[in-house]
Amino acid sequence: MPAIPDELAYLLRTKVLAHVSLTEADGSLVTHVMWVDYDGEHVLTSSPTQSYKSRALRQRPNVAISLMDPADAWRRLSISGHVADIRPDEGLEFINKLSQRYVGAPYPRTAPREIFVITPDKVRGFTGRGWATPGVGT
């Protein structure tokens, strides 16, 4: 599994919004703006259990995620991966953690949610000084 470059991992742990692209049933792509987290190995995100995103990720687990540092557009991260695990968000702990980070308040909705654990298959990082991932960008 490719590693997220240390100098860009902060993008997954701060309140930078991620663009998460999924494949539609007809093969087209759709991109959602989502809150994300990083456990040092996997990218984590969440959605209500019966949502369109939840159904789509179960049927077609491949995803692409991109993030850009709002202070420096040349510092960016692009991840291609797949949903390796789906687990319940017990007590909405995960979404409340993300809500505190992104908006500074508890998550307002109480519907059941699940956590999507995404394993990176390919990582591209750009720091503005050059590619952060050796061999990428050529």
Side-chain angles (χ1 to χ4, degrees):
M1 174 182 356
I4 305 295
D6 289 338
E7 66 268 31
L8 295 172
Y10 72 94
L11 293 170
L12 295 161
R13 293 184 173 121
T14 60
K15 59 184 197 174
V16 173
L17 293 169
H19 293 92
V20 180
S21 297
L22 318 173
T23 306
E24 298 271 0
D26 66 3
S28 63
L29 296 173
V30 62
T31 301
H32 300 275
V33 176
M34 297 179 75
W35 295 345
V36 295
D37 197 16
Y38 181 56
D39 68 5
E41 187 175 346
H42 302 95
V43 178
L44 308 167
T45 192
S46 175
S47 192
T49 55
Q50 299 301 315
S51 71
Y52 167 80
K53 286 180 276 191
S54 289
R55 290 189 308 273
L57 288 170
R58 279 188 164 70
Q59 296 166 2
R60 298 169 301 280
N62 293 327
V63 299
I65 303 165
S66 67
L67 302 103
M68 177 190 74
D69 187 329
D72 181 355
W74 294 109
R75 294 183 63 79
R76 59 189 188 270
L77 186 60
S78 176
I79 303 163
S80 298
H82 64 278
V83 175
D85 190 23
I86 302 170
R87 51 186 164 211
D89 186 355
E90 299 290 342
L92 301 179
E93 286 182 38
F94 181 73
I95 195 62
N96 277 306
K97 171 186 164 184
L98 292 183
S99 188
Q100 287 293 339
R101 177 192 307 161
Y102 281 91
V103 299
Y107 195 70
R109 299 181 194 141
T110 59
R113 297 184 67 88
E114 47 201 3
I115 302 165
F116 295 91
V117 180
I118 300 167
T119 298
D121 296 321
K122 189 172 190 177
V123 176
R124 291 182 184 97
F126 195 75
T127 62
R129 298 179 305 276
W131 289 95
T133 307
V136 174
T138 57

